[in-house]
Coordinates of all heavy atoms in Angstrom, one line a residue:
F181 N -15.8 18.1 -24.8 CA -17.1 18.7 -24.9 C -18.1 17.7 -24.3 O -17.9 16.5 -24.3 CB -17.5 18.9 -26.4 CG -16.5 19.9 -27.1 CD1 -15.3 19.4 -27.7 CD2 -16.8 21.2 -27.2 CE1 -14.5 20.2 -28.3 CE2 -15.9 22.1 -27.8 CZ -14.7 21.6 -28.4
T182 N -19.3 18.3 -23.9 CA -20.4 17.4 -23.6 C -21.7 18.1 -23.9 O -21.7 19.2 -24.4 CB -20.4 17.0 -22.1 OG1 -21.4 16.0 -21.8 CG2 -20.6 18.1 -21.1
R183 N -22.9 17.5 -23.6 CA -24.1 18.1 -23.9 C -24.3 19.4 -23.2 O -23.7 19.6 -22.1 CB -25.3 17.1 -23.6 CG -25.5 16.0 -24.6 CD -26.6 15.2 -24.2 NE -26.2 14.2 -23.2 CZ -25.8 12.9 -23.5 NH1 -25.7 12.5 -24.7 NH2 -25.4 12.1 -22.6
P184 N -25.1 20.4 -23.7 CA -25.9 20.3 -24.9 C -25.0 20.5 -26.2 O -23.9 21.0 -26.1 CB -26.8 21.5 -24.7 CG -26.0 22.5 -23.9 CD -25.2 21.7 -23.0
R185 N -25.6 20.0 -27.2 CA -24.9 20.0 -28.5 C -24.6 21.4 -29.0 O -23.6 21.7 -29.6 CB -25.9 19.3 -29.5 CG -25.3 18.9 -30.8 CD -26.3 18.2 -31.7 NE -25.7 18.0 -33.0 CZ -25.8 16.8 -33.6 NH1 -26.5 15.8 -33.1 NH2 -25.3 16.7 -34.8
D186 N -25.6 22.3 -28.8 CA -25.4 23.7 -29.1 C -25.5 24.5 -27.8 O -26.4 24.3 -27.0 CB -26.4 24.3 -30.1 CG -26.1 23.8 -31.4 OD1 -25.1 24.2 -32.0 OD2 -26.9 22.9 -31.9
W187 N -24.5 25.4 -27.5 CA -24.5 26.2 -26.3 C -24.1 27.6 -26.6 O -23.0 27.8 -27.2 CB -23.6 25.6 -25.2 CG -23.5 26.4 -24.0 CD1 -24.4 26.5 -23.0 CD2 -22.5 27.3 -23.7 NE1 -24.1 27.4 -22.1 CE2 -22.8 27.9 -22.5 CE3 -21.3 27.7 -24.3 CZ2 -22.0 28.9 -21.8 CZ3 -20.4 28.6 -23.6 CH2 -20.8 29.2 -22.4
E188 N -25.0 28.5 -26.4 CA -24.8 29.9 -26.7 C -24.3 30.1 -28.1 O -23.3 30.9 -28.4 CB -23.9 30.6 -25.7 CG -24.5 30.6 -24.3 CD -23.8 31.5 -23.3 OE1 -22.6 31.9 -23.6 OE2 -24.3 31.8 -22.2
G189 N -24.8 29.4 -29.1 CA -24.4 29.5 -30.5 C -23.1 28.8 -30.8 O -22.7 28.9 -32.0
H190 N -22.6 28.1 -29.9 CA -21.3 27.3 -30.2 C -21.7 25.8 -30.2 O -22.3 25.3 -29.3 CB -20.3 27.5 -29.1 CG -19.9 29.0 -28.9 ND1 -19.1 29.7 -29.8 CD2 -20.3 29.8 -27.9 CE1 -19.0 30.9 -29.3 NE2 -19.7 31.0 -28.2
A191 N -21.3 25.2 -31.3 CA -21.7 23.7 -31.5 C -20.5 22.9 -31.2 O -19.3 23.3 -31.3 CB -22.1 23.5 -33.0
I192 N -20.8 21.6 -30.8 CA -19.7 20.6 -30.6 C -19.2 20.3 -32.0 O -19.9 20.2 -32.9 CB -20.3 19.4 -29.9 CG1 -20.8 19.7 -28.5 CG2 -19.3 18.2 -30.0 CD1 -21.4 18.5 -27.8
P193 N -17.8 20.2 -32.2 CA -17.3 19.9 -33.5 C -18.0 18.6 -34.1 O -18.1 17.6 -33.4 CB -15.8 19.6 -33.2 CG -15.5 20.4 -32.0 CD -16.8 20.4 -31.2
D194 N -18.4 18.7 -35.4 CA -19.1 17.6 -36.0 C -18.4 16.3 -35.9 O -19.1 15.3 -35.7 CB -19.3 17.9 -37.5 CG -20.3 19.0 -37.7 OD1 -21.2 19.2 -36.8 OD2 -20.3 19.7 -38.8
V195 N -17.1 16.3 -36.0 CA -16.4 15.0 -36.0 C -16.6 14.2 -34.7 O -16.7 13.0 -34.8 CB -14.8 15.3 -36.2 CG1 -14.3 16.2 -35.1 CG2 -14.1 14.0 -36.2
L196 N -16.9 14.9 -33.6 CA -17.1 14.2 -32.4 C -18.4 13.5 -32.3 O -18.7 12.7 -31.5 CB -16.9 15.1 -31.2 CG -15.5 15.7 -31.0 CD1 -15.4 16.7 -29.8 CD2 -14.4 14.6 -30.9
L197 N -19.3 13.9 -33.2 CA -20.7 13.4 -33.2 C -20.8 12.4 -34.4 O -21.9 11.9 -34.6 CB -21.7 14.5 -33.3 CG -21.6 15.6 -32.3 CD1 -22.5 16.7 -32.6 CD2 -21.9 15.0 -30.9
S198 N -19.7 12.1 -35.1 CA -19.8 11.3 -36.4 C -19.9 9.9 -36.1 O -20.3 9.1 -36.9 CB -18.5 11.6 -37.2 OG -17.4 11.1 -36.5
G199 N -19.4 9.4 -34.9 CA -19.4 8.0 -34.6 C -18.3 7.3 -35.3 O -18.1 6.1 -35.1
D200 N -17.5 8.0 -36.0 CA -16.3 7.4 -36.7 C -15.1 7.5 -35.8 O -14.4 8.5 -35.7 CB -16.1 8.2 -38.1 CG -14.9 7.6 -38.9 OD1 -14.1 7.0 -38.3 OD2 -14.9 7.9 -40.1
H201 N -14.8 6.4 -35.1 CA -13.8 6.5 -34.1 C -12.4 6.7 -34.6 O -11.6 7.4 -33.9 CB -13.8 5.2 -33.2 CG -15.1 5.2 -32.4 ND1 -15.4 6.1 -31.4 CD2 -16.2 4.4 -32.5 CE1 -16.6 5.9 -30.9 NE2 -17.1 4.9 -31.6
A202 N -12.1 6.3 -35.8 CA -10.7 6.5 -36.4 C -10.6 8.0 -36.6 O -9.6 8.6 -36.3 CB -10.6 5.7 -37.7
R203 N -11.6 8.6 -37.2 CA -11.6 10.1 -37.4 C -11.5 10.9 -36.1 O -10.8 11.8 -36.0 CB -12.9 10.6 -38.1 CG -12.7 10.6 -39.7 CD -14.0 11.2 -40.3 NE -14.1 12.6 -40.1 CZ -15.3 13.3 -40.0 NH1 -16.4 12.6 -40.1 NH2 -15.3 14.6 -39.8
I204 N -12.3 10.4 -35.1 CA -12.2 11.1 -33.8 C -10.8 11.0 -33.2 O -10.3 12.0 -32.7 CB -13.3 10.5 -32.8 CG1 -14.7 10.8 -33.4 CG2 -13.1 11.0 -31.4 CD1 -15.8 10.1 -32.6
D205 N -10.2 9.8 -33.3 CA -8.9 9.7 -32.7 C -7.9 10.6 -33.4 O -7.1 11.2 -32.8 CB -8.4 8.2 -32.9 CG -9.0 7.3 -31.8 OD1 -9.6 7.8 -30.9 OD2 -8.9 6.1 -32.0
R206 N -8.0 10.6 -34.8 CA -7.1 11.5 -35.5 C -7.3 12.9 -35.1 O -6.3 13.7 -34.9 CB -7.4 11.3 -37.0 CG -6.2 11.5 -37.9 CD -6.3 11.0 -39.3 NE -7.6 11.2 -40.0 CZ -8.5 10.2 -40.3 NH1 -8.2 8.9 -40.1 NH2 -9.6 10.5 -40.9
W207 N -8.6 13.4 -35.0 CA -8.8 14.8 -34.7 C -8.3 15.1 -33.3 O -7.6 16.1 -33.1 CB -10.4 15.0 -34.7 CG -10.8 16.4 -34.3 CD1 -10.9 17.5 -35.2 CD2 -11.1 16.9 -33.1 NE1 -11.2 18.6 -34.5 CE2 -11.4 18.3 -33.2 CE3 -11.2 16.4 -31.8 CZ2 -11.8 19.1 -32.1 CZ3 -11.6 17.2 -30.7 CH2 -11.9 18.6 -30.9
R208 N -8.4 14.2 -32.4 CA -7.9 14.4 -31.0 C -6.4 14.5 -31.0 O -5.8 15.3 -30.3 CB -8.4 13.3 -30.1 CG -9.9 13.5 -29.7 CD -10.4 12.4 -28.8 NE -11.7 12.7 -28.2 CZ -12.5 11.9 -27.6 NH1 -12.2 10.6 -27.5 NH2 -13.6 12.3 -27.1
R209 N -5.8 13.6 -31.8 CA -4.3 13.7 -31.8 C -3.8 15.0 -32.4 O -2.9 15.6 -31.8 CB -3.7 12.5 -32.6 CG -3.6 11.2 -31.8 CD -2.7 10.2 -32.5 NE -3.0 10.0 -33.9 CZ -3.9 9.0 -34.3 NH1 -4.5 8.3 -33.4 NH2 -4.1 8.9 -35.6
Q210 N -4.5 15.4 -33.5 CA -4.1 16.7 -34.1 C -4.3 17.9 -33.1 O -3.5 18.8 -33.0 CB -4.9 17.0 -35.4 CG -4.5 16.1 -36.5 CD -5.6 16.1 -37.6 OE1 -6.7 16.6 -37.5 NE2 -5.2 15.4 -38.7
E211 N -5.5 17.9 -32.4 CA -5.7 18.9 -31.5 C -4.7 18.9 -30.3 O -4.3 20.0 -29.8 CB -7.2 18.8 -30.9 CG -8.2 19.2 -31.9 CD -8.2 20.7 -32.2 OE1 -8.4 21.5 -31.3 OE2 -7.8 21.0 -33.3
S212 N -4.3 17.8 -29.9 CA -3.3 17.7 -28.8 C -2.0 18.3 -29.2 O -1.4 19.1 -28.5 CB -3.0 16.2 -28.5 OG -3.9 15.7 -27.6
V213 N -1.6 18.0 -30.5 CA -0.3 18.6 -31.0 C -0.5 20.1 -31.1 O 0.4 20.9 -30.7 CB 0.0 17.9 -32.3 CG1 1.2 18.6 -32.9 CG2 0.3 16.4 -32.1
R214 N -1.7 20.5 -31.7 CA -1.9 22.0 -31.9 C -1.8 22.7 -30.5 O -1.1 23.7 -30.4 CB -3.2 22.2 -32.5 CG -3.6 23.7 -32.8 CD -4.9 23.9 -33.3 NE -6.0 23.5 -32.4 CZ -6.4 24.2 -31.4 NH1 -5.9 25.4 -31.1 NH2 -7.4 23.8 -30.6
L215 N -2.5 22.2 -29.5 CA -2.5 22.9 -28.2 C -1.2 22.9 -27.6 O -0.7 23.9 -27.0 CB -3.5 22.2 -27.3 CG -5.0 22.6 -27.5 CD1 -5.9 21.7 -26.6 CD2 -5.2 24.0 -27.2

Side-chain angles (χ1 to χ4, degrees):
F181 301 87
T182 186
R183 283 183 277 268
R185 191 178 177 136
D186 285 291
W187 176 76
E188 294 191 348
H190 303 284
I192 294 177
D194 285 340
V195 57
L196 297 179
L197 305 172
S198 67
D200 179 340
H201 293 291
R203 264 185 75 209
I204 293 172
D205 283 349
R206 206 163 45 244
W207 181 86
R208 286 178 165 166
R209 278 199 305 275
Q210 286 164 353
E211 285 296 292
S212 274
V213 172
R214 180 183 65 77
L215 283 174

